[in-house]
Amino acid sequence: FPKIFTVDFGTGCLNNGINRSGILTITLTNYLINTGCQMTVERSNYYVNGRKIEGTVVYENITSNPQTPKWTRTVTNGKLTTITGGVFTFSGTRTVQQIAGVGTLNLGDNIYEILSGNHTVNRPNGTSLTVTVLTPLIKKYACNYISQGQLNLQGTYLDGVLDYGDNTCDNTAI
């Protein structure tokens, strides 16, 4: 260690309707399952469906109990350039733990809990939005949607709480 992996999508690689190009460089400081390990993802001329994505993402294993793996995800210097040239900047961090399915090889029984975090997005017109976890969000691997928890939305045009409901697998939030 460190181990460095390069994923080169070249000038374009289409998979499941998503076209990626550019390079991702992934650096591991240790085995992912070891507490304290960091995985850093850096983007170089990286595009998804024609939108340029920049910035660094760092995942850090902060597990204290092997039955509930826990990690942080931090984005710094995030930047998205739209197809028309609009630039959005973003940064933030969140803490996630796996609360079910740890001891099995079946992904379908995995359940994740986003315990805390905040994320800020700045738009090209000068407006911004900060999203903060109020109550932990529940995401089941077997469900396409977040099924429970609340986010606080504070921005130029938004001021309120987004509530994902009672842990029912649906695309409804209030």
Side-chain angles (χ1 to χ4, degrees):
F1 288 98
K3 300 287 185 191
I4 299 172
F5 301 90
T6 302
V7 181
D8 189 343
F9 294 98
T11 58
C13 180
L14 183 65
N15 187 28
N16 291 329
I18 300 171
N19 188 19
R20 300 175 194 274
S21 63
I23 297 172
L24 296 176
T25 302
I26 303 164
T27 304
L28 295 171
T29 62
N30 205 326
Y31 294 105
L32 286 174
I33 61 170
N34 291 342
T35 300
C37 172
Q38 288 188 343
M39 179 175 73
T40 302
V41 180
E42 297 173 289
R43 302 167 175 120
S44 178
N45 207 30
Y46 180 67
Y47 288 80
V48 175
N49 292 336
R51 293 157 184 87
K52 186 173 187 180
I53 303 174
E54 301 174 73
T56 301
V57 181
V58 176
Y59 295 87
E60 182 175 1
N61 182 337
I62 60 169
T63 301
S64 58
N65 175 354
Q67 298 307 310
T68 53
K70 187 186 297 187
W71 61 93
T72 60
R73 176 185 183 270
T74 303
V75 177
T76 55
N77 300 317
K79 184 176 174 182
L80 181 135
T81 304
T82 67
I83 295 171
T84 59
V87 176
F88 293 76
T89 60
F90 54 94
S91 62
T93 190
R94 65 177 158 213
T95 302
V96 181
Q97 70 180 359
Q98 185 176 350
I99 59 173
V102 175
T104 73
L105 296 176
N106 175 15
L107 291 176
D109 65 0
N110 289 4
I111 300 176
Y112 303 94
E113 183 177 42
I114 301 172
L115 297 168
S116 62
N118 61 58
H119 203 87
T120 299
V121 177
N122 298 297
R123 296 181 57 198
N125 65 4
T127 62
S128 67
L129 176 66
T130 298
V131 179
T132 304
V133 175
L134 280 181
T135 61
L137 305 177
I138 302 296
K139 172 65 178 83
K140 301 171 187 174
Y141 185 89
C143 178
N144 288 330
Y145 311 102
I146 294 171
S147 58
Q148 186 175 339
Q150 294 180 330
L151 295 173
N152 183 30
L153 307 174
Q154 294 295 316
T156 306
Y157 299 112
L158 292 174
D159 177 8
V161 173
L162 182 62
D163 188 335
Y164 286 96
D166 63 0
N167 210 14
T168 301
C169 180
D170 60 27
N171 65 351
T172 304
I174 300 172

